[in-house]
Amino acid sequence: MAAIQESSTNSPIGKRTPRVDGPLKVTGKAKYTSDFHFPGLLYAVPVEATIANGRIIKLDTARAEKMPGVSAIFHRENIGKISRAVLGEGFEGITDERRPPFEDDVIRYYGQYVALAVASTFETAKAAADAVRVEYSKEKPNVDTHLKADDEPQTVATTFATLKRVQSERGDADEAFQKAPVKLDETYVTPAETQNPLELHSTTAIWDGTTLTLYESSQGVVNLQTVLAQMFGLPKENVRVITKFVGSGFGSKLFPWTHCPLAAAAARKLGKPVKLVVSRKMMFQTVGHRPRTQQRVRLGATDDGKLVSLQHDYVYTTSMLDIHHEDCGETTAFHYSVPNLHVEFGRAKRNIGATADMRGPGAVPGMYATEAAMNEMADLLKLDPVKFRVLNEPKIDESLGVPFSSRHLLECLELGTEKFGWSRRKPETGSMKRDGLTLGWGMASCAWIAARFPAEANVQLRDDGTVRVACATQDIGTGTYTILAQLAAEKTGVPLDKVEAVLGDTLLPAGPLSGGSMATGSVVPAVFSAADHAIAALMGIATKTPGSPFEKRKSDELTLRDGKVFLKEKDSAAGVPFADLLKRANVRLVTGNGKGEATFGDPKPKFSMHSYGCHFVEVTWQPEIARLRVSRVVTVIDAGRIINPLAGRNQIEGAVVMGLGMALFEQTAYDPQNGAPINASLADYIVTVNADAPQIDVHFLDYPDKELNEVGARGIGEIGLAGIAAAITAAVHHATGVRVRELPVRIEDLLA
Amino acid sequence: MKSFEFTRADDAAGAVTIAAKEKTAQQGANIRFIAGGTTLVDLMKLSVETPGQLIDINRLALDKIEPTRGGGLKIGATVRNADLANDATVKRDYSVLSQAILQGASAQLRNMATTAGNLLQRTRCVYFRDPAMPCNKREPGSGCPAITGHNRMLAVLGTSEQCIATNPSDMCVAMAALEATIHIQGPNGSRAIPIADFHLLPGATPHRETVLEPGDLITHVELPSPKVGSKQLYLKLRDRASYEFALASAAVVLEIANGSVTSARIALGGVGTKPWRSPEAESALVGQPANASNFRKAAEAAMRDAKPRSENGFKVELARRCLTHALETAAKS
Ligand SMILES: Cc1cc2nc3c(=O)[nH]c(=O)nc-3n(C[C@H](O)[C@H](O)[C@H](O)COP(=O)(O)OP(=O)(O)OC[C@H]3O[C@@H](n4cnc5c(N)ncnc54)[C@H](O)[C@@H]3O)c2cc1C
Ligand code: SF4
C-alpha cells in the first residue's frame, strides 16, 4: 500500500505545506477584487428583468436620471457597442451566456439585465436602479421541471465542441438488457443548483483611452482578456485582467458573465473607473448554475453480478440561447466493465439563466445517477455494493480501448472498507442501531478526468537568493500560490519562504483556467521547464564568468541543489549559492520561460487518465422526529501524487461537506408563475453549515501518474464531490428503507 | 436603500409622541423604532420597508431583567436575545424560553436582537421579501402568489385565502407557552396585552400583524410566576442542524403528578400564521395519563384544523411528531 511519502530529501513536493498566502488572508491584507479602490470610482447597479419571458416595451429612466449623484442610466440605446465573443484556439473566447448584455429587447430569463445605473455611491446607484420603470409584454415562462429532450439533430453544437448525442456505444445495449436475468430501470433527478461562492462576482473596469484594465473575480483571466478584446474590438494587449485573490468560484467564475462587459462599457462611456458588485440575489440569476438533470439508467446483470448492459440516457436544462454541455455521461463508458453500452444525452430549453459548470460538472450529477443505480442493482442481486464493484472492475478503458494511465480503484475500495469498518454492515434496512439512533451505511465510488490545459510560466533566479515564479493562472482559494511556490522550490532547491509566487494578471505568461481540477497538473510542466531554462542560464553564467569557481567547467557538469551550484560529483556542501554567482557576474537575475501543451480534448489519447476514489457514509436517523444527519464519512482518493497533502485534504473535506448539501439540502427552485429563482438568498437556499459537517476521514493513495506530468500529480478539486450523493442516498435507504431518486432528499420524502 | 432620518430617543414619552404622528404601526409605516435592527435593516435593504424616519430606542433603559412583585419576571424591550437566553433566572424557571432563543438565528444575531424586535420580526415568505412580487401582506390587494407557489416553509394553521405566511419566531412560541404579557406605552397611556392576543390572524388584512397602533412602544414583557417543578422543553425541527427557521417546533410546559398531566401549556412554531398556542392539545392532555398514546392524541388534536397547501402538507405530520416527541422528552425529564 502506498502511503504518502514525505521525500527524504528537502523536496517540498508531498510536504504538508501551509498556504504561503495564509498570513495575508488572516490579517485582511489579501485584496479581493472589490477591495480595490480608485480615485473618482463610480458604482454600477444593474436593473434586472422581473419577467422571465417577453419583451421590453418601454424603459423609463427619467426619474432615476434626475437623482442627485447619478452619472448615467445605461440601456440598449446608449451603452455603446458590445460585440459577441467566439471560441478560438486554446480554450479562449469562451462565454457561457453568449448574447452580450442589452443586445436586443427580448427577455429570456428572470433577472436578465435590462439597464445599468451608475452613480457616485453604491447606495445612490441602487436607489436609481430601483427607480427605473420597465414595461414589458409578458408571456408565460417555461420553467417546467419535467424534462423531455428537445427535438434536436443527432449532432449538436456545445460550448467546447460539436458533439454526437450518442456519446458512447458498444455492443447491443438494448438487446442485452432485455435478455439480462437481473434488470434495473430507474430515473434519477438532480435539481438546479447554484454555485454560491462566498465572494460575490465583481468587476472594476478602468479605461485610459487605449487600455482597458479590469479587476475581476475570475477563475480564468486569460480567457476573460480574449473575450473582452473581442467584445470591445481591442488588441488583446490593450486589455489587462487582474485577479489577485478569489473567494472561491465553484465554476461560476470560469467564464465571463454579462456584468463584466457592462462595467467595462460604462467605464468607456464615462471615462471613469466603474465598480460593479453582483448582489447575492443576482448570483442566482445571471452568473450560471448547475442545470437540472433527469437521468434514466438501465442496468442488466447476470445472476452472479456481472454487468452485461449499461444504458445512460439523460436530459438536462439549458437556457434559451446557450449551449453549455452537462456531460453526465463523462465517466459512464469506462468506469465499469460492461460489453454492451449506450450513453446518450438530450437538452431541454427553459426560461432560465445560462447553465454553467459547477464543481464537478457532468460527472457529479452523472455519477450520482450511475452510482445510485449500481447500489440499487447490488441490492437486487443481494450482493455487497463493494463486492459488486470489484466484480465489474475493468482492465482497460473499454470505451477508448486504451489502458488506464494509473487506476487504483480497487485499492481505494479496500482501504475505505477497512477504515470505515464496512465488514460490520448488516444489509437489512433499519437494522443497525447506536445510542437510540438508527444507522444507515452506504458507499459509492467516483472518478474525475485528469488532463492539462495549455500553460506558460516564467521563473527568475535573483541575486538576493530568491526565486520568482509567475503564471497567469488564479488561486481560487485552493492553494495555487502554494503549489507554484512548491514547484519552483522543488526545481531550485530554495526554501519556500524565498520563493515569490505571482499569478492572476494577464501581463504574466498565459496560464490555465482554475477549472476541471486541471490547474495544478497543467502548471507542472510549464513551471518545471521555465525553471530548467532559468537554471541553464545560471549555469551559463557560472561557467563563463571570469573568476567564477566554475569557470571553464561545462554546464552539464554542474547541478543546482538546495539553492547552490556545485559539481555533480561533489555534494552540496561544496556548492556555491547561486546568488553569489549572479552577484559576481553583476547579473541581477536570470530568467526562463516554460510551456506545457494541452492534453484536454485529445481525441486519440494513448492512455485513459482519471482520478478515482470512493466514499463510505454513515447517517443517523430518528424516525420519531424525521431527523436525518450524516455522522461519518470515510473518503479514499487516488489522485496521483499529492503535492500538498494539507491543501489536498482540505479540498476533499470541503467536497464532502458540499456533497452533503447536494444530497440533502441544495436546490434552486423556479417560481412556476413568473420563472424567478425563488429561493435566491442564503437564508432560503439551504447549504451545509458547520453543525452539519460530519466526522470526515480522508485518505490519499499516492501513486504518481507520470503520464500526466513529471510530478505525477492529477487534480483534486472536484473528485471529492463525485459519488458522495449516491453514497448518502444509499445510506439513507439503508437507514430508512426509503429510496429517494430525486435530490435533495428532503424531510418530506422520509416522513411516510 | 432609501435615505432616512435617524434620531436617538432619550425618553420613552418623546419617542411615543414622535411615532404617534404616523398613520400606522403596521406594514408601510414611515416612522419606525429601531432596536437591534436585524429585522428592520434587512427589510430596508430589500426595500420591503422604506421608513423615512428611524427612532433608536436603545438608550431608553429598557434593557433590564427584573423580578416582579408578583413573583414573575419583567423583561425589558431592548434586552438582547443572548442576554435573555443566558439569564440565570430564565434558565432555571423559564428554560423553555432560553432553549427556544438559543435554537434561533446565530450567536451574532442573538447578540443584537432584542425582546421587542423579536416579537415583531416579520415572515420569511419569499414573496413578501421581494418587492418585485405581488404580496397581500406588503401591498394589500396585490394577491398571494405563495398559495399556489413556493410555500414549503409557510403555515398550515391560521391561514386565510389572502395569506399563509408563517410567523417565524422561536422566542414567541416559548412566550406563548409561558403566557407572557406584553406591556405597551402608547399616546393614550400604558396597557398590557396577553401574547395570545398580541399577534393577529391574517384574515382579509394580512398587512396588520399585531394590535400595535401608531406611537405604541413595547416597554417590556412580563412572565407570570414560574410553574415550579414544571417540565419544559423546546424542540425545533429543520432541514439542517443549525441556522435555519423552523419547519415545525413545539414549546411545552407540563406539570405531571402521579403519572397524570395536571397542567399543560403548549405552543407550536413554524406551522402557524402567529405563534400558535394550542388549547386543543392542552385540553386533550390535562387529566390524562402522561403516556405516548395520549401525547400523540394531543398532537393530532393540535393539527386537526391544519390546511396544507401544494408543498407544505408534510408539516402536518412533522408538527405532530415534533409535539409528540417534545411531550415525551419533557415528561421523561
Ligand atoms: C439571518 C437571520 C436568521 C434568523 N433566524 C432566526 C431564527 O432561527 N429564529 C428566530 O426566532 N428568529 C430568527 N431571526 C430573526 C431575529 O430573531 C429577529 O431579526 C430579531 O429578533 C429582531 O430583533 P431586533 O431587535 O433586531 O429588531 P429590529 O429590527 O430592531 O425591529 C424589528 C421591528 O420591531 C419594531 N420595534 C423594535 N423595538 C420596538 C419596541 N420597543 N416597540 C415597538 N416596536 C419596536 C421595529 O420598528 C421593527 O419594525 C433571524 C434573523 C436573521 C437576519
Ligand atoms: S403568504 Fe402572505 S406574505 Fe406570502 S405572498 Fe402570500 S400574502 Fe404575501
Side-chain angles (χ1 to χ4, degrees), chain A residues 118 123 340 393 434 474 523 702:
Chain A
V118 185
E123 289 75 14
N340 303 289
E393 172 70 8
R434 187 180 64 217
Q474 309 66 224
V523 296
D702 200 26

Side-chain angles (χ1 to χ4, degrees), chain B residues 32-42 49 57 77 81 103-105 109 112-114 116-118 120-121 124 168-171 212 216-218 236 243-245:
Chain B
R32 283 281 188 210
F33 298 128
I34 181 162
T38 61
T39 287
L40 187 58
V41 175
D42 187 23
E49 293 260 24
I57 58 163
N81 285 179
Q103 288 177 60
L109 283 159
M112 284 306 287
T114 63
N118 200 324
L120 294 171
Q121 68 168 288
R124 305 297 303 192
S169 174
D170 292 302
M171 182 195 83
L212 291 182
D216 280 352
L217 174 77
I218 297 171
K236 179 174 178 180
Y243 203 28
E244 194 187 1
F245 290 91

Side-chain angles (χ1 to χ4, degrees), chain A residues 583-604:
Chain A
K583 277 194 216 128
R584 193 167 310 184
N586 192 25
V587 170
R588 175 72 183 87
L589 54 85
V590 286
T591 172
N593 295 321
K595 200 170 171 168
E597 304 297 335
T599 66
F600 180 60
D602 181 354
K604 284 209 163 41

